[in-house]
Amino acid sequence: MQMKEIAAFFGHVGAKTSCGYGVATGGPLAWGLCYNKEMSPSQSYCDDFYKFEYPCTPGAEYYGRGALPIYWNYNYGAAGEALKVDLLNHPEYIEQNATLAFQAAIWRWMTPVKEGQPSPHDVFVGNWKLTKNDTLAKRVPGFGATMNLLYGELTCGKGDIDPMNVVISHYLYYIDLLGVGREQAGPNEVLSCAEQGLFNPPAPPSTTAAAS
């Protein structure tokens, strides 16, 4: 289980930091740990909802950085508190310090996104006690549920889509690399989150915003 969890963690890290492509030497899955930051940020990732708890620092950019990329001011703030580093004012520390980048990634793996939820670690190793809602949402312990927690609607609940399959492929690659054997990865319903209901569904757009 420990080796499987290391493979799962690196599966996520490899998928999110890869610069691999179809004909790359060794194949596209061999190129994880290449990028340490989001290469073309599409937005500033400053959420004013958290302006009192985690106010955005003028000039700071909260785009994705690190081994399991951190996005948004509130995530930099929370990670900084946990690691006792001022990431809210200096998010660039994550891309300048590889040790810190991995500490933040391990914190992300071990820490629930929201109170009352399991962490990716918990759902992977079987510490998670399922509720009736989990069963109804087809959520089961395993790798698929880690994607559900970490990426939500970007990978899960949308059927057999590429963003999900890329992460699964990296997990299987690292399981082979560590000599565990991919037959230990479990059946598709454990590996995948294609049919799972989301742990954290996106908020519906407000009716006032729609009306305006």
Side-chain angles (χ1 to χ4, degrees), residues 128-157:
W128 169 42
K129 291 183 171 49
L130 278 74
T131 65
K132 185 178 178 183
N133 283 343
D134 292 318
T135 305
L136 289 171
K138 300 182 180 177
R139 294 190 290 260
V140 295
F143 189 75
T146 68
M147 290 189 286
N148 194 332
L149 284 166
L150 290 169
Y151 318 123
E153 64 177 333
L154 298 177
T155 54
C156 298

mmCIF file of all heavy atoms in Angstrom, residues 128-157:
data_model
loop_
_atom_site.group_PDB
_atom_site.id
_atom_site.type_symbol
_atom_site.label_atom_id
_atom_site.label_comp_id
_atom_site.label_asym_id
_atom_site.label_seq_id
_atom_site.Cartn_x
_atom_site.Cartn_y
_atom_site.Cartn_z
ATOM 1 N N TRP A 128 -10.993 6.376 4.929
ATOM 2 C CA TRP A 128 -12.208 7.145 4.691
ATOM 3 C C TRP A 128 -13.441 6.287 4.962
ATOM 4 O O TRP A 128 -13.584 5.201 4.414
ATOM 5 C CB TRP A 128 -12.151 7.641 3.246
ATOM 6 C CG TRP A 128 -13.371 8.231 2.680
ATOM 7 C CD1 TRP A 128 -14.252 9.090 3.271
ATOM 8 C CD2 TRP A 128 -13.854 8.066 1.341
ATOM 9 N NE1 TRP A 128 -15.238 9.458 2.392
ATOM 10 C CE2 TRP A 128 -15.010 8.845 1.200
ATOM 11 C CE3 TRP A 128 -13.414 7.340 0.238
ATOM 12 C CZ2 TRP A 128 -15.740 8.900 0.010
ATOM 13 C CZ3 TRP A 128 -14.108 7.402 -0.948
ATOM 14 C CH2 TRP A 128 -15.270 8.184 -1.049
ATOM 15 N N LYS A 129 -14.327 6.791 5.818
ATOM 16 C CA LYS A 129 -15.592 6.091 6.080
ATOM 17 C C LYS A 129 -16.679 6.686 5.190
ATOM 18 O O LYS A 129 -17.046 7.852 5.338
ATOM 19 C CB LYS A 129 -15.962 6.226 7.555
ATOM 20 C CG LYS A 129 -15.005 5.446 8.459
ATOM 21 C CD LYS A 129 -15.398 5.508 9.912
ATOM 22 C CE LYS A 129 -14.573 4.563 10.762
ATOM 23 N NZ LYS A 129 -13.134 4.678 10.524
ATOM 24 N N LEU A 130 -17.174 5.879 4.276
ATOM 25 C CA LEU A 130 -18.155 6.356 3.310
ATOM 26 C C LEU A 130 -19.492 6.655 3.978
ATOM 27 O O LEU A 130 -19.909 5.944 4.891
ATOM 28 C CB LEU A 130 -18.373 5.321 2.207
ATOM 29 C CG LEU A 130 -17.354 5.293 1.067
ATOM 30 C CD1 LEU A 130 -16.051 4.690 1.533
ATOM 31 C CD2 LEU A 130 -17.898 4.507 -0.114
ATOM 32 N N THR A 131 -20.151 7.696 3.477
ATOM 33 C CA THR A 131 -21.509 8.001 3.904
ATOM 34 C C THR A 131 -22.482 7.482 2.836
ATOM 35 O O THR A 131 -22.075 7.048 1.762
ATOM 36 C CB THR A 131 -21.699 9.519 4.042
ATOM 37 O OG1 THR A 131 -21.575 10.112 2.736
ATOM 38 C CG2 THR A 131 -20.670 10.128 4.978
ATOM 39 N N LYS A 132 -23.756 7.566 3.156
ATOM 40 C CA LYS A 132 -24.771 7.182 2.183
ATOM 41 C C LYS A 132 -24.664 8.054 0.932
ATOM 42 O O LYS A 132 -24.832 7.569 -0.197
ATOM 43 C CB LYS A 132 -26.165 7.316 2.805
ATOM 44 C CG LYS A 132 -27.293 6.822 1.913
ATOM 45 C CD LYS A 132 -28.641 6.940 2.606
ATOM 46 C CE LYS A 132 -29.759 6.485 1.673
ATOM 47 N NZ LYS A 132 -31.094 6.654 2.299
ATOM 48 N N ASN A 133 -24.373 9.350 1.131
ATOM 49 C CA ASN A 133 -24.218 10.250 -0.017
ATOM 50 C C ASN A 133 -23.066 9.828 -0.912
ATOM 51 O O ASN A 133 -23.150 9.931 -2.141
ATOM 52 C CB ASN A 133 -23.988 11.695 0.457
ATOM 53 C CG ASN A 133 -25.270 12.350 0.928
ATOM 54 O OD1 ASN A 133 -26.364 11.869 0.621
ATOM 55 N ND2 ASN A 133 -25.145 13.429 1.693
ATOM 56 N N ASP A 134 -21.969 9.365 -0.315
ATOM 57 C CA ASP A 134 -20.837 8.884 -1.107
ATOM 58 C C ASP A 134 -21.257 7.689 -1.962
ATOM 59 O O ASP A 134 -20.930 7.613 -3.152
ATOM 60 C CB ASP A 134 -19.667 8.483 -0.197
ATOM 61 C CG ASP A 134 -19.044 9.672 0.511
ATOM 62 O OD1 ASP A 134 -18.869 10.724 -0.134
ATOM 63 O OD2 ASP A 134 -18.735 9.548 1.708
ATOM 64 N N THR A 135 -21.974 6.772 -1.338
ATOM 65 C CA THR A 135 -22.421 5.576 -2.070
ATOM 66 C C THR A 135 -23.353 5.960 -3.217
ATOM 67 O O THR A 135 -23.217 5.447 -4.342
ATOM 68 C CB THR A 135 -23.125 4.600 -1.105
ATOM 69 O OG1 THR A 135 -22.234 4.307 -0.024
ATOM 70 C CG2 THR A 135 -23.494 3.310 -1.812
ATOM 71 N N LEU A 136 -24.280 6.873 -2.948
ATOM 72 C CA LEU A 136 -25.201 7.321 -3.997
ATOM 73 C C LEU A 136 -24.463 8.022 -5.135
ATOM 74 O O LEU A 136 -24.868 7.948 -6.300
ATOM 75 C CB LEU A 136 -26.252 8.274 -3.409
ATOM 76 C CG LEU A 136 -27.309 7.631 -2.493
ATOM 77 C CD1 LEU A 136 -28.147 8.694 -1.810
ATOM 78 C CD2 LEU A 136 -28.201 6.668 -3.291
ATOM 79 N N ALA A 137 -23.353 8.692 -4.787
ATOM 80 C CA ALA A 137 -22.575 9.421 -5.800
ATOM 81 C C ALA A 137 -21.533 8.528 -6.474
ATOM 82 O O ALA A 137 -20.716 9.016 -7.261
ATOM 83 C CB ALA A 137 -21.891 10.623 -5.157
ATOM 84 N N LYS A 138 -21.549 7.224 -6.145
ATOM 85 C CA LYS A 138 -20.634 6.236 -6.736
ATOM 86 C C LYS A 138 -19.171 6.522 -6.404
ATOM 87 O O LYS A 138 -18.273 6.182 -7.169
ATOM 88 C CB LYS A 138 -20.820 6.155 -8.267
ATOM 89 C CG LYS A 138 -22.219 5.743 -8.693
ATOM 90 C CD LYS A 138 -22.319 5.625 -10.202
ATOM 91 C CE LYS A 138 -23.710 5.217 -10.636
ATOM 92 N NZ LYS A 138 -23.852 5.173 -12.100
ATOM 93 N N ARG A 139 -18.946 7.190 -5.261
ATOM 94 C CA ARG A 139 -17.573 7.440 -4.830
ATOM 95 C C ARG A 139 -17.078 6.256 -4.011
ATOM 96 O O ARG A 139 -17.758 5.810 -3.086
ATOM 97 C CB ARG A 139 -17.494 8.726 -3.997
ATOM 98 C CG ARG A 139 -17.805 9.971 -4.800
ATOM 99 C CD ARG A 139 -17.486 11.241 -4.029
ATOM 100 N NE ARG A 139 -18.390 11.488 -2.927
ATOM 101 C CZ ARG A 139 -19.418 12.358 -2.976
ATOM 102 N NH1 ARG A 139 -19.664 13.040 -4.090
ATOM 103 N NH2 ARG A 139 -20.182 12.543 -1.907
ATOM 104 N N VAL A 140 -15.911 5.742 -4.372
ATOM 105 C CA VAL A 140 -15.329 4.597 -3.669
ATOM 106 C C VAL A 140 -13.870 4.907 -3.340
ATOM 107 O O VAL A 140 -13.237 5.727 -4.018
ATOM 108 C CB VAL A 140 -15.407 3.307 -4.520
ATOM 109 C CG1 VAL A 140 -16.850 2.890 -4.755
ATOM 110 C CG2 VAL A 140 -14.685 3.480 -5.851
ATOM 111 N N PRO A 141 -13.316 4.272 -2.297
ATOM 112 C CA PRO A 141 -11.909 4.502 -1.978
ATOM 113 C C PRO A 141 -11.010 4.087 -3.143
ATOM 114 O O PRO A 141 -11.261 3.080 -3.800
ATOM 115 C CB PRO A 141 -11.672 3.600 -0.758
ATOM 116 C CG PRO A 141 -13.030 3.383 -0.171
ATOM 117 C CD PRO A 141 -13.973 3.373 -1.331
ATOM 118 N N GLY A 142 -9.967 4.873 -3.386
ATOM 119 C CA GLY A 142 -9.036 4.528 -4.458
ATOM 120 C C GLY A 142 -8.544 5.745 -5.208
ATOM 121 O O GLY A 142 -8.791 6.892 -4.815
ATOM 122 N N PHE A 143 -7.862 5.495 -6.304
ATOM 123 C CA PHE A 143 -7.212 6.576 -7.053
ATOM 124 C C PHE A 143 -8.219 7.554 -7.651
ATOM 125 O O PHE A 143 -7.994 8.766 -7.662
ATOM 126 C CB PHE A 143 -6.333 5.982 -8.165
ATOM 127 C CG PHE A 143 -5.475 7.016 -8.830
ATOM 128 C CD1 PHE A 143 -4.353 7.511 -8.192
ATOM 129 C CD2 PHE A 143 -5.791 7.495 -10.096
ATOM 130 C CE1 PHE A 143 -3.557 8.482 -8.797
ATOM 131 C CE2 PHE A 143 -5.008 8.459 -10.700
ATOM 132 C CZ PHE A 143 -3.880 8.955 -10.051
ATOM 133 N N GLY A 144 -9.343 7.027 -8.137
ATOM 134 C CA GLY A 144 -10.344 7.901 -8.744
ATOM 135 C C GLY A 144 -10.821 8.980 -7.795
ATOM 136 O O GLY A 144 -10.974 10.149 -8.171
ATOM 137 N N ALA A 145 -11.020 8.610 -6.534
ATOM 138 C CA ALA A 145 -11.495 9.577 -5.545
ATOM 139 C C ALA A 145 -10.445 10.647 -5.249
ATOM 140 O O ALA A 145 -10.783 11.772 -4.881
ATOM 141 C CB ALA A 145 -11.910 8.864 -4.263
ATOM 142 N N THR A 146 -9.144 10.310 -5.400
ATOM 143 C CA THR A 146 -8.116 11.342 -5.199
ATOM 144 C C THR A 146 -8.225 12.409 -6.286
ATOM 145 O O THR A 146 -8.046 13.598 -6.019
ATOM 146 C CB THR A 146 -6.683 10.757 -5.186
ATOM 147 O OG1 THR A 146 -6.317 10.261 -6.478
ATOM 148 C CG2 THR A 146 -6.551 9.647 -4.152
ATOM 149 N N MET A 147 -8.524 11.999 -7.503
ATOM 150 C CA MET A 147 -8.718 12.985 -8.587
ATOM 151 C C MET A 147 -9.940 13.839 -8.316
ATOM 152 O O MET A 147 -9.941 15.049 -8.572
ATOM 153 C CB MET A 147 -8.868 12.266 -9.937
ATOM 154 C CG MET A 147 -7.607 11.621 -10.454
ATOM 155 S SD MET A 147 -7.773 11.029 -12.170
ATOM 156 C CE MET A 147 -8.794 9.587 -11.924
ATOM 157 N N ASN A 148 -10.978 13.203 -7.791
ATOM 158 C CA ASN A 148 -12.214 13.922 -7.478
ATOM 159 C C ASN A 148 -11.936 15.037 -6.472
ATOM 160 O O ASN A 148 -12.390 16.177 -6.637
ATOM 161 C CB ASN A 148 -13.236 12.918 -6.925
ATOM 162 C CG ASN A 148 -14.649 13.454 -6.888
ATOM 163 O OD1 ASN A 148 -14.886 14.648 -6.778
ATOM 164 N ND2 ASN A 148 -15.612 12.548 -6.958
ATOM 165 N N LEU A 149 -11.159 14.733 -5.444
ATOM 166 C CA LEU A 149 -10.831 15.733 -4.427
ATOM 167 C C LEU A 149 -9.908 16.824 -4.970
ATOM 168 O O LEU A 149 -10.082 18.003 -4.678
ATOM 169 C CB LEU A 149 -10.159 15.054 -3.221
ATOM 170 C CG LEU A 149 -11.090 14.283 -2.290
ATOM 171 C CD1 LEU A 149 -10.287 13.384 -1.364
ATOM 172 C CD2 LEU A 149 -11.965 15.237 -1.481
ATOM 173 N N LEU A 150 -8.905 16.422 -5.750
ATOM 174 C CA LEU A 150 -7.882 17.381 -6.185
ATOM 175 C C LEU A 150 -8.333 18.257 -7.351
ATOM 176 O O LEU A 150 -7.955 19.427 -7.421
ATOM 177 C CB LEU A 150 -6.595 16.639 -6.578
ATOM 178 C CG LEU A 150 -5.814 16.006 -5.418
ATOM 179 C CD1 LEU A 150 -4.726 15.074 -5.942
ATOM 180 C CD2 LEU A 150 -5.203 17.091 -4.539
ATOM 181 N N TYR A 151 -9.144 17.710 -8.260
ATOM 182 C CA TYR A 151 -9.467 18.447 -9.491
ATOM 183 C C TYR A 151 -10.953 18.642 -9.744
ATOM 184 O O TYR A 151 -11.335 19.436 -10.606
ATOM 185 C CB TYR A 151 -8.858 17.751 -10.717
ATOM 186 C CG TYR A 151 -7.463 17.241 -10.500
ATOM 187 C CD1 TYR A 151 -7.157 15.903 -10.695
ATOM 188 C CD2 TYR A 151 -6.434 18.094 -10.080
ATOM 189 C CE1 TYR A 151 -5.884 15.410 -10.485
ATOM 190 C CE2 TYR A 151 -5.155 17.617 -9.864
ATOM 191 C CZ TYR A 151 -4.885 16.276 -10.071
ATOM 192 O OH TYR A 151 -3.625 15.801 -9.854
ATOM 193 N N GLY A 152 -11.806 17.879 -9.045
ATOM 194 C CA GLY A 152 -13.240 18.062 -9.199
ATOM 195 C C GLY A 152 -13.721 17.920 -10.632
ATOM 196 O O GLY A 152 -13.409 16.949 -11.332
ATOM 197 N N GLU A 153 -14.472 18.920 -11.070
ATOM 198 C CA GLU A 153 -15.131 18.854 -12.369
ATOM 199 C C GLU A 153 -14.157 18.845 -13.547
ATOM 200 O O GLU A 153 -14.537 18.519 -14.671
ATOM 201 C CB GLU A 153 -16.084 20.047 -12.524
ATOM 202 C CG GLU A 153 -15.368 21.382 -12.522
ATOM 203 C CD GLU A 153 -16.315 22.553 -12.756
ATOM 204 O OE1 GLU A 153 -17.361 22.373 -13.396
ATOM 205 O OE2 GLU A 153 -15.968 23.644 -12.297
ATOM 206 N N LEU A 154 -12.884 19.190 -13.314
ATOM 207 C CA LEU A 154 -11.918 19.193 -14.419
ATOM 208 C C LEU A 154 -11.646 17.784 -14.926
ATOM 209 O O LEU A 154 -11.289 17.595 -16.082
ATOM 210 C CB LEU A 154 -10.597 19.843 -13.975
ATOM 211 C CG LEU A 154 -10.678 21.309 -13.551
ATOM 212 C CD1 LEU A 154 -9.326 21.802 -13.063
ATOM 213 C CD2 LEU A 154 -11.169 22.181 -14.715
ATOM 214 N N THR A 155 -11.794 16.788 -14.051
ATOM 215 C CA THR A 155 -11.515 15.414 -14.468
ATOM 216 C C THR A 155 -12.671 14.450 -14.220
ATOM 217 O O THR A 155 -12.728 13.398 -14.861
ATOM 218 C CB THR A 155 -10.289 14.848 -13.711
ATOM 219 O OG1 THR A 155 -10.515 14.991 -12.312
ATOM 220 C CG2 THR A 155 -9.002 15.552 -14.095
ATOM 221 N N CYS A 156 -13.550 14.766 -13.301
ATOM 222 C CA CYS A 156 -14.478 13.743 -12.802
ATOM 223 C C CYS A 156 -15.945 14.020 -13.141
ATOM 224 O O CYS A 156 -16.343 15.171 -13.322
ATOM 225 C CB CYS A 156 -14.328 13.627 -11.287
ATOM 226 S SG CYS A 156 -12.672 13.113 -10.797
ATOM 227 N N GLY A 157 -16.690 12.916 -13.200
ATOM 228 C CA GLY A 157 -18.129 13.018 -13.430
ATOM 229 C C GLY A 157 -18.513 13.347 -14.853
ATOM 230 O O GLY A 157 -19.664 13.667 -15.135
#
